Amino acid sequence: MGQQEKVETSLAGAVSDGISASLAPVDAELAGRYPGDPGTRQPVHTVYVPGDVFTAGALRAWGDEALKALDEHAPDAAALAEVLGIPDELAGPVHDRVRAKLEREPVEDLRIDFEDGYGPRSDAEEDEAAARAARLVSEAYAQGTAAPYMGIRMKCMEAAVRDRGIRTTDVFLTGLMRAGGLPDGLVLTLPKVTYPEQVTAFVQLLEAFEQAHGLPDGRIGFEIQIETSQSILAADGTAAVARMIDAARGRATGLHYGTFDYSACVGVSAAYQASDHPAADHAKAVMQVAAAGTGVRVSDGSTNVLPVGPTPQVHEAWRLHYGLTRRALARAYYQGWDMHPGHLPTRYAAVYTFYREGLEQAAARLAAYVAKTGGDVMDEPATAKALSGYLLRGIDCGALDTAEVAELTGLTRADLDAFASPRRGTLTVTAP
């Protein structure tokens, strides 16, 4: 034992107390504005189905059509791996998991579209379609056939369609309440937001609905769709998207990038409108920074190149979609849009390859961090958070199994949750 050091201080306790008191408002604002990730599942994609064609069998129909495309154009693991460039050692597991996913849960997030995909209709027709959507969504949740997340995209808050958007939202939500209440997986998407005041107006609408039905304040959240340049850079030079998150007053759950509306808004010609265009990268980078720490998730957009036609044409579209999805995942955009059932095989192939190829390394790094054994990478709490989040997202979408992650890390699902998000609970590492 060495000599015990004598500890002395020069400042009275009142100094620390005074500093803490002066920072109390900052502490409160930091906790309120930046609570961190909500600790809930984030879907890997959103599928849009127009309100007039949505039926009770829509989800299964998408899965069946995706399976048909897989069987026709990549009937086995080797064929899929050759088309997409999946490593040989992952080909079998990825192909098997993709098939299982399409059979079990082909769509993770469904939006019944009453905006661009639906178009202008008579009020009576849209009223009926919105009421039908509410009934079918309620029945799907009651019967256990729903996607994990379901909801609508209404028309925006611009003057020309504002009243129609408000009414469709009201009809849909009222229908859900009449059928038994709002499902836990309910998601609303507010499109073409240009000014924070439009977000404020939508919050007022939801507050009024909650009050009318005696729902808790804040029960209904929504996504903000970023489709205009003004939502990224306002006239005064500020990042309007950050102000939109603030205007949502805790209700914003996501920011969704609209590839084609945004590209057109900044003048990109149709042939070059894509989610990897520099204009798209800039917009999503601003969205990502604005949302960081707020608990609001960012979603990438879509490709409009459909995998249809003869096999060579399908393969070309698949390679494009697979590459864009992998690119997005590397940039921490863990969600995107899928516009056609033929996109589902490559969505899941890209996602599953991403998580399975990094499983062993991520698990080893996290296990070494927990055991404090070190290694060739010096990790810290922030890295442990990222590693846990990576593994959890892989588990949630079906790329990884809880048991195999537990075997490799020595951690339970609860342990991973606690590492990944302070909202998930206090970390107590236990044996799996």
Side-chain angles (χ1 to χ4, degrees), residues 45-49 53-67 101-112 136-137 139-141 143-151 340-341 344 348:
H45 69 168
T46 301
V47 163
Y48 282 77
V49 176
V53 301
F54 176 66
T55 65
L59 295 174
R60 188 61 264 155
W62 271 63
D64 290 344
E65 191 169 341
L67 283 166
K101 180 73 167 181
L102 296 176
E103 292 169 352
R104 181 187 73 254
E105 187 185 75
V107 175
E108 292 197 354
D109 184 27
L110 176 73
R111 208 69 69 249
I112 305 165
L136 293 175
V137 168
E139 290 174 356
Y141 277 105
Q143 296 166 4
T145 59
Y149 300 94
M150 297 182 74
H340 187 274
L344 299 186
Y348 292 121

Side-chain angles (χ1 to χ4, degrees), residues 119-409:
R121 308 293 179 93
S122 69
D123 285 339
E125 186 177 0
E126 185 159 342
D127 281 351
E128 183 178 358
R132 183 179 66 251
R135 175 177 59 81
L136 293 175
V137 168
S138 294
E139 290 174 356
Y141 277 105
Q143 296 166 4
T145 59
Y149 300 94
M150 297 182 74
I152 65 168
R153 177 172 70 168
M154 68 294 297
K155 292 177 174 62
C156 69
M157 282 300 204
E158 293 178 357
V161 294
R162 181 184 304 139
D163 289 344
R164 184 62 258 182
I166 291 172
R167 182 171 175 84
T168 297
T169 304
D170 188 9
V171 170
F172 178 71
L173 293 177
T174 300
L176 292 177
M177 292 299 298
R178 295 287 182 264
L182 305 181
D184 290 339
L186 173 67
V187 186
L188 304 177
T189 302
L190 180 65
K192 293 183 176 59
V193 181
T194 303
Y195 285 84
E197 289 80 2
Q198 293 168 328
V199 174
T200 299
F202 197 63
V203 168
Q204 292 171 348
L205 169 63
L206 298 181
E207 287 176 341
F209 187 89
E210 290 167 349
Q211 292 167 9
H213 289 272
L215 295 170
D217 181 54
R219 167 62 182 86
I220 308 172
F222 62 97
E223 302 164 336
I224 301 170
Q225 198 159 7
I226 304 301
E227 301 177 87
T228 67
S229 61
Q230 295 90 349
S231 60
I232 295 298
L233 186 67
D236 62 0
T238 61
V241 64
R243 292 162 54 205
M244 290 174 185
I245 293 173
D246 191 49
R249 298 208 292 269
R251 293 178 185 264
T253 59
L255 300 175
H256 282 229
Y257 176 69
T259 303
F260 305 103
D261 281 284
Y262 188 91
S263 296
C265 182
V266 297
V268 179
S269 61
Y272 297 96
Q273 291 178 353
S275 61
D276 59 352
H277 190 280
D281 285 341
H282 171 258
K284 287 179 287 188
V286 174
M287 291 163 58
Q288 189 175 51
V289 172
T294 65
V296 178
R297 272 82 174 259
V298 175
S299 173
D300 198 3
S302 61
T303 175
N304 60 357
V305 179
L306 304 184
V308 296
T311 294
Q313 186 172 321
V314 171
H315 285 177
E316 184 176 355
W318 272 359
R319 281 189 286 268
L320 173 65
H321 185 240
Y322 180 87
L324 290 173
T325 303
R326 288 300 310 263
R327 183 180 190 273
L329 290 167
R331 286 158 175 75
Y333 308 131
Y334 299 111
Q335 185 175 354
W337 299 11
D338 287 325
M339 299 180 69
H340 187 274
H343 285 138
L344 299 186
T346 38
R347 170 67 61 182
Y348 292 121
V351 170
Y352 289 2
T353 302
F354 176 76
Y355 289 114
R356 294 208 65 81
E357 69 186 6
L359 167 60
E360 292 188 2
Q361 183 184 51
R365 287 177 63 180
L366 187 58
Y369 174 82
V370 172
K372 297 180 171 55
T373 58
D376 59 354
V377 180
M378 184 178 293
D379 286 324
E380 56 184 32
T383 312
K385 176 180 178 179
L387 292 167
S388 298
Y390 172 86
L391 295 172
L392 286 168
R393 284 190 292 272
I395 292 171
D396 286 342
C397 71
L400 310 176
D401 297 325
T402 303
E404 67 177 333
V405 172
E407 182 178 357
L408 290 170
T409 63

